[in-house]
Amino acid sequence: MTEEERKHAEEKQLSRRQFLRDASAMVAGTALGAGLTVPREVAEAATPKVELKYTCPLDGRNFQAFEDLKAHFVHAHPQAAAPALTKLKVNGKDYDLQIEPQWTLQSALQFKLGLTGAKTMCDRGECGSCTVIVDGKAVLSCTTLAVECEGKSIETIEGIAANPKWNPLIQAYMKHDTMQCGYCTPGFVVTAKALLDKNTNPTEDEIRQVLSGNICRCSTYPRHPKAILEAAQVLRGGK
Amino acid sequence: MPEQPDRQDFKVVGRRDVPGSLSNAIATGRAKYPRDLVFPDMLHAKVLRSPYARARIKSLDTSKAEALPGVKAVIKWDDPELKAMPLNYIGSKTPVLNDQADREGDEFGVVVAAETEEIAEQALDLIKVEWEVQPFVLDSKDALKPGAPVLHPTARPDNVEAVDNWEDGNVEEGFKKSANVIEFDYFGPRSGVYNSQPITVVSRWEPDPHGIEGPVLYTTPMYRDKGLPAAREAFKLAWDKVRPITQFVGSGLCDGDPRRASRLVPLLAKRTGRPVRLAYTRREAFDTSGAQVYTHVKVGFNNDGVIVAAHGKTITSCGVESDWERNGSDITCFRMTKAANVKNETTYTYTNTSRGAFLRAGAFPTASDTLAIAIYRIADQLKMDPADVLMKNVSTPEPSVKLCMEKGKAAINYQWHPTGAKKLANGKMHGVGFRLRDSHSWGSNTAIGVSLKSDGKIYLPFGSAYFGVFGQDAIALVVAEELGAKAEDVVVQLDPFSKLSFIIGGSDISSTAYAGKMAALDLKAKILEAGAGALKVKPADVDTKDSTVYLKADPTKKVPFGALVSDEVGALGSLSGFWQGATPTNYDWSTRTYGPVNMFFAEVEVDTETGQFEVTKMVGAYDGGKVLRPSSFEGQVEGGMIWSISKAKTEEYIFDKATGVLLNGSALEYKPGTILDTTPIQAITLETRTGGGVYGSSGVGENTWEQGSISCAIFNAIGKWIDWPITPDKVLKALGKI
């Protein structure tokens, strides 16, 4: 991208305050913001620029280059299997990451990419807060090994939020106060998006069934079907 | 003094179309909670936890852990800097890190920091501990028995944390005058917060950003921000040298304790010179619970159902220790009745169980389970409608109780039938129950400042940890209302360094909003003066509307707020309003004063063959005095009802009696409710303008769950009182089927 193109792209983005103002106006009105431009920080959050470092899992030493880590293994841990890089495609961008075999996808997203929308609540596949979409399916990233996801397409809440198509879903959540403390909310939104990918016109009961694996301790449950039904209508082109 | 209802016309307060200031960050996953924080070169900490319900460390060998590559710090309980720290936190009887553990899972002995969490865990495994395993006590009643193990022998040699005894009138005389006397036992199990975010503390020290002497500790707050003063006290830091990294904390739900980690993690960060993160596992986060409560209640009443006397003896447990001196429900709720003779005897005990927490004020003394049960028992004995019995007894039925009763009954389609008298076509037994509770506002000393800036926005600095009650947004609506500003022109300015605009809990919003109103009025006077100057008239000639100052005589002549201040050098950079003081409250149990109330109704169907029951409908008729932000207000009422259902069905900490080990420390085993457990619920908001907060508003959130309505509905269905959680085996046992 040339400097001019970059500037043009930036100008097309909105400031945070302008976005919030527009979002408020949209929420206040009947339309749920289909086509609203995504603010820059939301767009950029989907594919973070990360400064990768490489850590020896055996002694914690850090290296700036992966080759240096491999060399360290030859000298310091000659008996151990040398680490390998894993290719993860997250929100459309490819990353080569040093991931330990036992790492969950949630850990890899958080500690390697700084993507923290997939949250740890139970760490046992019991609560849905860490939900991401892998090759079109909603999965629990706390019970999915990161190395299993090599070559697969991983979509997180950050990626969903960065896609203007899903503005109506985000805004419906805002409109109905479909969050309290908010810790579990991204997991619900990702689960809802996975449902709407497959079923553009779900019933309330279908929504409840799909969300039955998501725990909201603040108990916002009655609001999710409302928000999702309303978003689904907008996404189908209704009002 | 409670503020008199004043404003009648509301343009902003009560609107549903102003989204929460943080909702976008939350819904898009960008909101950073302590557990999300990742810093370059961050170390990971783990603390030794007791595998025993009560044990002392006889000896500790950390040499192998210290030698493990990747381990950067090992701090033992006898570290001089640790020992010099004041006791752990409010209510604590033990040091930050002790050689004595008083519950299974207690953090004690040693804490380590390492390059990775895995290495930290390995280090803990390499620590050699010689234990002195000690006897323990789990049950509140057992804690008072002679010879019971004593948790805090120096501070409390009898396991009694506190007593609360009082008497109105003379209950013995009252019982003599009563035509009927009944006695019953009430039990409340330990149940937990299940905080959405397992406790996580992240700390780092940095040079003062302005070059001022002394480093700054950046650390994570807890609900009610108590993590910050805990660190400040420990390191003897000036107030401005401890700053929160984030304001998001996950669900608080009244569990506000700083944990030991609030001091251990900053210490590790100080020793290593690197950021340190300590993240609880979900199992470790089962470390607090509401109180276990035993109450024996004796009630005298006449044949018309009017209560003459009530006497309650309560034994309740704060667990291993508690941040609240009073952490159990009792019979204070009888002070909402006309009964002149009420006697309360409550003993708070220590046990080797999870730490006592406040849990959405479910265990607050105003909890009214015992009153609800008494009303249903009296009604059953006299074959009366319990709704009639309640209305005869409640001391101030007009307007709030009467309104809640009327609206609630209509919504639940209340048609009273005697106990065990209604069998449905599906073979199940039908029951309906209700309970009454006050909608208190805490009131507190608070301060709020608001400023008009040159962009025409009014900034409301907000410094509280954000735990989900939309309090800052409700206050922003009040500020906009009083200023005559557009709702979107009041900006909630997240300012973690500010302790202006501070909210303790959901019940505090209405009173804190009072401070917001007063600050806005202070600012409005200045805006009017500046606007009058701009229009070359007197302040009395102008007013405000839609973020402009206009001439009353000719509203076309107006000046926007933003034009009244300027960023030009020498110009007036901002206009500010301020208020500080004690915000009003609306209850005083010693004088039997309370404000608006709320009533929850539950309808159940009980399958007497399987012992299962379903809450088929629940209604929360909640008088909020004046509802500031309806959507989030209703969200609190809904949340309370769903908690009630979840706790009625499943929630209880189960400890192994032989070992004192918690047996159900996971979501699967503890079973917090899901969306499928959420039966049709309806929040009805009522406004009598009788609360103590701004515009006669009152609190919501902390008084929205308890056991009464569902317990009474089950009783109405099958004539049996069943302790929570109401599990099928208990139902079948009560029915004599197993």
Side-chain angles (χ1 to χ4, degrees):
Chain A
M1 187 183 283
T2 65
E3 185 61 19
E4 197 172 325
E5 286 169 337
R6 189 186 62 76
K7 277 184 183 169
H8 180 65
E10 282 186 6
E11 282 165 7
K12 282 170 64 181
Q13 305 284 1
L14 299 176
S15 72
R16 173 176 181 274
R17 182 156 296 143
Q18 183 63 46
F19 167 71
L20 289 174
R21 197 176 299 150
D22 288 352
S24 303
M26 288 292 186
V27 168
T30 52
L32 281 176
L36 182 69
T37 310
V38 171
R40 184 185 308 160
E41 61 266 41
V42 175
E44 290 179 350
T47 51
K49 294 182 183 71
V50 288
E51 243 181 69
L52 296 175
K53 68 172 184 177
Y54 302 94
T55 306
C56 174
L58 300 179
D59 60 20
R61 280 192 64 184
N62 291 314
F63 300 90
Q64 295 303 314
F66 184 65
E67 291 306 316
D68 293 341
L69 173 63
K70 287 210 302 194
H72 166 73
F73 256 74
V74 171
H75 296 294
H77 314 294
Q79 306 301 318
L85 292 180
T86 303
K87 284 186 183 298
L88 289 186
K89 189 182 189 71
V90 182
N91 298 326
K93 185 173 175 181
D94 291 315
Y95 298 90
D96 287 324
L97 303 173
Q98 181 204 350
I99 291 171
E100 297 306 312
Q102 76 276 17
W103 274 33
T104 65
L105 179 57
Q106 193 281 331
S107 290
L109 292 171
Q110 175 170 359
F111 291 102
K112 288 298 176 185
L113 296 178
L115 292 170
T116 56
K119 311 260 186 224
T120 302
M121 181 192 291
C122 71
D123 213 17
R124 292 286 183 280
E126 299 165 347
C127 77
S129 292
C130 64
T131 304
V132 298
I133 297 173
V134 177
D135 279 354
K137 286 184 182 172
V139 303
L140 302 174
S141 62
C142 80
T143 50
T144 302
L145 290 174
V147 293
E148 285 183 282
C149 300
E150 186 153 30
K152 297 177 183 176
S153 175
I154 300 159
E155 196 174 8
T156 71
I157 181 65
E158 291 90 348
I160 295 165
N163 184 345
K165 177 187 171 183
W166 295 101
N167 265 333
L169 182 60
I170 299 292
Q171 288 176 50
Y173 263 69
M174 292 168 63
K175 175 182 173 183
H176 290 281
D177 284 351
T178 318
M179 68 285 285
Q180 284 183 24
C181 85
Y183 193 75
C184 69
T185 311
F188 275 89
V189 176
V190 174
T191 308
K193 189 267 182 185
L195 167 68
L196 295 173
D197 275 342
K198 293 182 169 59
N199 182 354
T200 57
N201 191 15
T203 64
E204 182 171 345
D205 195 49
E206 286 168 338
I207 293 170
R208 284 164 58 89
Q209 288 296 331
V210 163
L211 295 180
S212 63
N214 291 70
I215 291 176
C216 171
R217 193 49 168 163
C218 304
S219 302
T220 57
Y221 296 127
R223 290 158 184 253
H224 294 269
K226 284 182 196 170
I228 295 167
L229 285 169
E230 203 166 300
Q233 189 177 3
V234 177
L235 288 163
R236 289 195 307 273
K239 288 184 179 178
Chain B
M1 288 291 292
E3 179 193 349
Q4 293 302 308
D6 45 7
R7 178 180 287 278
Q8 295 302 318
D9 59 317
F10 291 95
K11 295 183 176 65
V12 182
V13 165
R15 277 172 59 175
R16 291 177 177 271
D17 56 354
V18 184
S21 51
L22 303 176
S23 296
N24 185 265
I26 289 170
T28 58
R30 289 177 298 121
K32 296 288 185 196
Y33 297 74
R35 206 174 183 90
D36 298 333
L37 300 171
V38 178
F39 295 109
D41 296 326
M42 186 171 75
L43 296 172
H44 298 261
K46 279 283 172 185
V47 60
L48 185 67
R49 289 175 181 271
S50 173
Y52 303 105
R54 190 158 169 258
R56 195 180 69 83
I57 293 174
K58 288 166 75 175
S59 68
L60 193 63
D61 181 358
T62 59
S63 55
K64 286 186 179 172
E66 288 170 48
L68 183 69
V71 170
K72 296 297 173 188
V74 176
I75 300 176
K76 291 188 276 190
W77 68 274
D78 55 358
D79 180 277
E81 189 173 5
L82 258 183
K83 290 189 85 168
M85 289 181 183
L87 288 181
N88 194 16
Y89 23 60
I90 300 163
S92 177
K93 303 291 179 287
T94 58
V96 181
L97 207 58
N98 206 357
D99 63 340
Q100 169 75 38
D102 287 322
R103 65 174 179 84
E104 184 260 329
D106 206 356
E107 302 152 291
F108 83 138
V110 60
V111 63
V112 302
E115 294 286 355
T116 67
E117 202 165 38
E118 290 93 335
I119 294 174
E121 286 167 357
Q122 284 174 32
L124 283 188
D125 289 343
L126 291 173
I127 293 171
K128 203 171 172 184
V129 186
E130 191 180 356
W131 307 96
E132 178 191 318
V133 181
Q134 300 166 323
F136 60 88
V137 60
L138 299 175
D139 188 88
S140 316
K141 283 184 174 175
D142 292 344
L144 296 177
K145 289 179 180 170
V150 177
L151 271 77
H152 307 298
T154 310
R156 307 279 183 184
D158 52 4
N159 280 334
V160 173
E161 197 269 347
V163 294
D164 182 23
N165 298 338
W166 49 262
E167 183 170 10
D168 296 344
N170 185 318
V171 289
E172 287 311 314
E173 290 300 315
F175 287 131
K176 285 177 192 168
K177 292 177 191 167
S178 304
N180 310 279
V181 175
I182 58 171
E183 296 187 49
F184 60 90
D185 290 308
Y186 163 81
F187 173 74
R190 287 187 185 86
S191 66
V193 172
Y194 193 86
N195 311 66
S196 55
Q197 178 208 235
I199 301 294
T200 302
V201 177
V202 180
S203 305
R204 60 189 164 98
W205 296 80
E206 290 194 0
D208 188 290
H210 308 293
I212 297 166
E213 186 181 358
V216 173
L217 170 62
Y218 292 88
T219 190
T220 44
M222 310 289 269
Y223 169 66
R224 292 201 301 264
D225 296 80
K226 282 161 62 178
L228 305 181
R232 192 178 305 129
E233 289 165 18
F235 297 95
K236 298 183 174 59
L237 293 168
W239 195 91
D240 72 327
K241 293 289 188 181
V242 183
R243 302 178 182 181
I245 303 175
T246 178
Q247 284 173 264
F248 291 98
V249 293
S251 56
L253 300 164
C254 302
D255 173 12
D257 284 353
R259 306 307 207 264
R260 297 176 194 278
S262 296
R263 287 174 171 172
L264 294 175
V265 178
L267 180 61
L268 288 166
K270 184 181 169 190
R271 294 278 172 90
T272 60
R274 292 168 64 175
V276 177
R277 173 186 194 259
L278 193 157
Y280 280 30
T281 65
R282 171 49 61 188
R283 175 66 168 75
E284 291 166 352
F286 277 82
D287 64 338
T288 58
S289 70
Q292 179 193 46
V293 182
Y294 291 99
T295 304
H296 183 77
V297 186
K298 184 177 178 182
V299 182
F301 57 97
N302 288 332
N303 290 328
D304 58 358
V306 172
I307 298 169
V308 178
H311 183 192
K313 290 183 180 176
T314 296
I315 297 172
T316 180
S317 171
C318 308
V320 64
E321 54 193 7
S322 173
D323 69 331
W324 292 88
E325 290 299 306
R326 300 182 62 189
N327 185 26
S329 57
D330 50 26
I331 67 160
T332 305
C333 48
F334 280 77
R335 280 178 159 169
M336 294 176 80
T337 72
K338 296 170 191 162
N341 310 295
V342 181
K343 185 176 182 181
N344 185 72
E345 295 174 88
T346 300
T347 304
Y348 300 87
T349 68
Y350 290 117
T351 53
N352 296 103
T353 59
S354 40
R355 192 176 151 78
F358 215 31
L359 301 208
R360 215 164 191 158
F364 192 62
T366 59
S368 54
D369 291 341
T370 51
L371 177 60
I373 293 169
I375 294 292
Y376 264 76
R377 285 184 178 269
I378 292 167
D380 182 57
Q381 184 160 322
L382 299 175
K383 305 297 176 209
M384 290 173 66
D385 181 343
D388 294 338
V389 175
L390 179 75
M391 297 308 284
K392 283 186 177 187
N393 279 288
V394 70
S395 57
T396 54
E398 300 277 3
S400 194
V401 182
K402 194 175 175 186
L403 195 59
C404 287
M405 178 67 88
E406 180 189 316
K407 298 293 182 187
K409 282 170 82 170
I412 201 108
N413 189 25
Y414 184 91
Q415 293 171 336
W416 175 72
H417 57 73
T419 306
K422 188 172 180 180
K423 190 170 190 174
L424 299 165
N426 60 14
K428 296 178 183 176
M429 300 303 295
H430 173 273
V432 63
F434 59 79
R435 65 94 176 123
L436 166 75
R437 194 171 181 186
D438 80 310
S439 312
H440 56 260
S441 302
W442 291 120
S444 61
N445 283 305
T446 193
I448 284 191
V450 288
S451 294
L452 170 65
K453 301 290 186 186
S454 60
D455 59 359
K457 302 293 181 187
I458 298 99
Y459 288 85
L460 172 63
F462 191 78
S464 295
Y466 178 75
F467 45 88
V469 292
F470 291 86
Q472 74 281 16
D473 299 306
I475 296 169
L477 295 181
V478 170
V479 169
E481 188 75 63
E482 293 304 325
L483 285 177
K486 295 175 185 170
E488 60 267 30
D489 285 345
V490 178
V491 178
V492 175
Q493 180 188 1
L494 276 187
D495 180 359
F497 308 134
S498 169
K499 279 294 166 277
L500 287 172
S501 317
F502 186 77
I503 289 177
I504 297 172
S507 292
D508 189 42
I509 295 169
S510 61
S511 49
T512 310
Y514 173 86
K517 173 188 168 182
M518 301 307 285
L521 288 175
D522 185 34
L523 174 58
K524 184 176 178 182
K526 294 166 186 171
I527 288 175
L528 289 176
E529 191 176 343
L535 294 169
K536 298 186 175 16
V537 295
K538 293 175 183 169
D541 297 331
V542 294
D543 204 347
T544 57
K545 186 183 178 185
D546 294 335
S547 302
T548 63
V549 180
Y550 68 92
L551 190 62
K552 289 180 193 172
D554 180 4
T556 61
K557 290 182 178 167
K558 57 189 178 183
V559 54
F561 282 1
L564 302 177
V565 290
S566 168
D567 292 332
E568 294 296 320
V569 175
L572 192 59
S574 67
L575 287 170
S576 297
F578 182 75
W579 190 84
Q580 180 172 23
T583 55
T585 181
N586 63 347
Y587 72 99
D588 178 358
W589 292 108
S590 64
T591 58
R592 297 190 168 209
T593 303
Y594 60 94
V597 301
N598 62 86
M599 289 191 69
F600 280 13
F601 293 75
E603 182 189 57
V604 300
E605 291 183 7
V606 183
D607 187 331
T608 56
E609 295 301 315
T610 65
Q612 291 183 312
F613 79 95
E614 292 299 328
V615 179
T616 49
K617 185 165 187 185
M618 203 156 176
V619 171
Y622 201 107
D623 180 3
K626 170 66 186 173
V627 177
L628 306 178
R629 192 172 183 281
S631 177
S632 42
F633 185 96
E634 288 160 4
Q636 293 299 313
V637 180
E638 291 164 9
M641 284 191 276
I642 294 167
W643 260 50
S644 298
I645 296 169
S646 177
K647 288 179 179 287
K649 285 191 163 184
T650 58
E651 294 190 39
E652 179 182 26
Y653 281 18
I654 300 170
F655 292 93
D656 179 37
K657 288 180 182 172
T659 63
V661 169
L662 179 69
L663 296 175
N664 59 338
S666 73
L668 273 184
E669 292 157 322
Y670 182 72
K671 299 181 177 63
T674 73
I675 196 168
L676 295 184
D677 300 304
T678 306
T679 45
I681 61 172
Q682 183 180 354
I684 300 171
T685 52
L686 303 166
E687 296 184 322
T688 59
R689 304 290 293 269
T690 56
V694 67
Y695 312 132
S697 62
S698 199
V700 66
E702 292 163 321
N703 33 31
T704 53
W705 84 274
E706 55 188 311
Q707 306 179 200
S709 58
I710 296 175
S711 293
C712 291
I714 297 281
F715 175 76
N716 185 237
I718 61 172
K720 303 291 180 187
W721 291 102
I722 299 167
D723 294 337
W724 280 28
I726 302 169
T727 51
D729 59 314
K730 288 185 189 171
V731 173
L732 292 176
K733 196 172 179 184
L735 292 170
K737 295 192 173 183
I738 58 172

